[in-house]
Amino acid sequence: MRLFRLLPLLLTLLSPLAFADSNYQVELILFRQASTPLLASQPAPDDWAGDAQLPASGSERSTALNAEAAKLRPANGYEVLLHQAWQQSVGPNPVKIALSNGQEQFGQYPAEGTLSIKRESFVDISADFWVNQFDADGLVTASEHLKQSSRLKNGQPTYLDHGSLGILIKVTPL
């Protein structure tokens, strides 16, 4: 009988722990079909990163999806544009991370975008990436845009597809 009186108190004390931030390894591969030319479209906005933060200094991790990335080579019709892994604290409030790869030209990168990630019962992500092509003066002449959201299973690679662009992402609890 005492247990039933203590149960509400125990649930009240333990419920914040269920939604506390936890550490995860996040790994993302952004790739495109190599034979598909970049079509002229609306270029990425100048403030493509917005209020996103860079992965924390020292949070870089070794990539684990190397075998999958190796299959995404030009001989198979693909090109890896960005492959990065880092440790991230994830909780119920979305964290928005800015990622880029390549030589910056006037605030733009060949591959740039943001990844928002949060965890309640499941890990939910929203990816917003741009692939840019530059002219000799460093101005963006063509862009492709991938914007997708997904619910992930812990430790399972998830594929997001949008036209000639794709993302392979894996989020693993540490």
Side-chain angles (χ1 to χ4, degrees), residues 30-48:
L30 173 66
F31 62 95
R32 70 182 304 274
Q33 293 177 352
S35 61
T36 306
L38 242 64
L39 301 174
S41 67
Q42 183 177 0
D46 289 337
D47 66 341
W48 62 269

Side-chain angles (χ1 to χ4, degrees), residues 1-15:
M1 203 53 134
R2 286 177 131 171
L3 179 62
F4 290 117
R5 282 188 239 148
L6 292 175
L7 189 60
L9 176 62
L10 288 173
L11 290 174
T12 302
L13 292 173
L14 295 176
S15 63

Side-chain angles (χ1 to χ4, degrees), residues 28 48-50 52 96-99 112-116 126-130:
L28 181 136
W48 62 269
K96 192 174 182 183
I97 301 297
L99 302 168
E112 61 191 14
T114 60
L115 180 71
S116 293
S126 292
D128 190 11
F129 282 86
W130 296 86

Side-chain angles (χ1 to χ4, degrees), residues 3 27 39 43 46 62 66 102 104 110 138 147:
L3 179 62
E27 183 169 359
L39 301 174
D46 289 337
S62 299
N66 297 324
E104 177 202 356
K147 187 170 186 168

Side-chain angles (χ1 to χ4, degrees), residues 44 58 83-84 86 90 102 136 163 170 174:
H83 186 188
Q84 193 169 346
W86 67 97
V90 179
K170 182 177 176 182
L174 295 176

Side-chain angles (χ1 to χ4, degrees), residues 8 12-13 19 54 59-60 65 83 94 97 115 117 119 124 144 147 153 156 174:
T12 302
L13 292 173
F19 295 107
L54 295 173
S59 69
E60 301 83 14
L65 297 173
H83 186 188
I97 301 297
L115 180 71
I117 185 168
R119 178 191 58 86
D124 294 311
E144 288 178 281
K147 187 170 186 168
K153 290 183 180 179
Q156 296 294 318
L174 295 176

Side-chain angles (χ1 to χ4, degrees), residues 7-173:
L7 189 60
L9 176 62
L10 288 173
L11 290 174
T12 302
L13 292 173
L14 295 176
S15 63
L17 296 176
F19 295 107
D21 288 5
S22 300
N23 285 326
Y24 286 79
Q25 175 164 322
V26 180
E27 183 169 359
L28 181 136
I29 301 172
L30 173 66
F31 62 95
R32 70 182 304 274
Q33 293 177 352
S35 61
T36 306
L38 242 64
L39 301 174
S41 67
Q42 183 177 0
D46 289 337
D47 66 341
W48 62 269
D51 59 351
Q53 57 189 335
L54 295 173
S57 178
S59 69
E60 301 83 14
R61 295 289 179 256
S62 299
T63 55
L65 297 173
N66 297 324
E68 291 81 353
K71 293 176 186 175
L72 298 169
R73 62 181 189 261
N76 292 338
Y78 298 99
E79 175 186 7
V80 172
L81 305 169
L82 183 137
H83 186 188
Q84 193 169 346
W86 67 97
Q87 180 177 326
Q88 181 69 49
S89 178
V90 179
N93 296 321
V95 176
K96 192 174 182 183
I97 301 297
L99 302 168
S100 62
N101 192 31
Q103 178 68 38
E104 177 202 356
Q105 298 189 41
F106 302 109
Q108 303 287 323
Y109 295 85
E112 61 191 14
T114 60
L115 180 71
S116 293
I117 185 168
K118 71 176 184 172
R119 178 191 58 86
E120 289 176 349
S121 298
F122 297 95
V123 174
D124 294 311
I125 58 112
S126 292
D128 190 11
F129 282 86
W130 296 86
V131 175
N132 300 311
Q133 185 175 27
F134 299 93
D135 66 13
D137 296 324
L139 301 174
V140 175
T141 58
S143 294
E144 288 178 281
H145 186 213
L146 179 150
K147 187 170 186 168
Q148 295 282 336
S149 296
S150 185
R151 176 161 284 160
L152 308 181
K153 290 183 180 179
N154 284 339
Q156 296 294 318
T158 301
Y159 172 64
L160 305 175
D161 180 27
H162 186 73
S164 64
L165 295 177
I167 287 180
L168 188 60
I169 186 167
K170 182 177 176 182
V171 179
T172 308

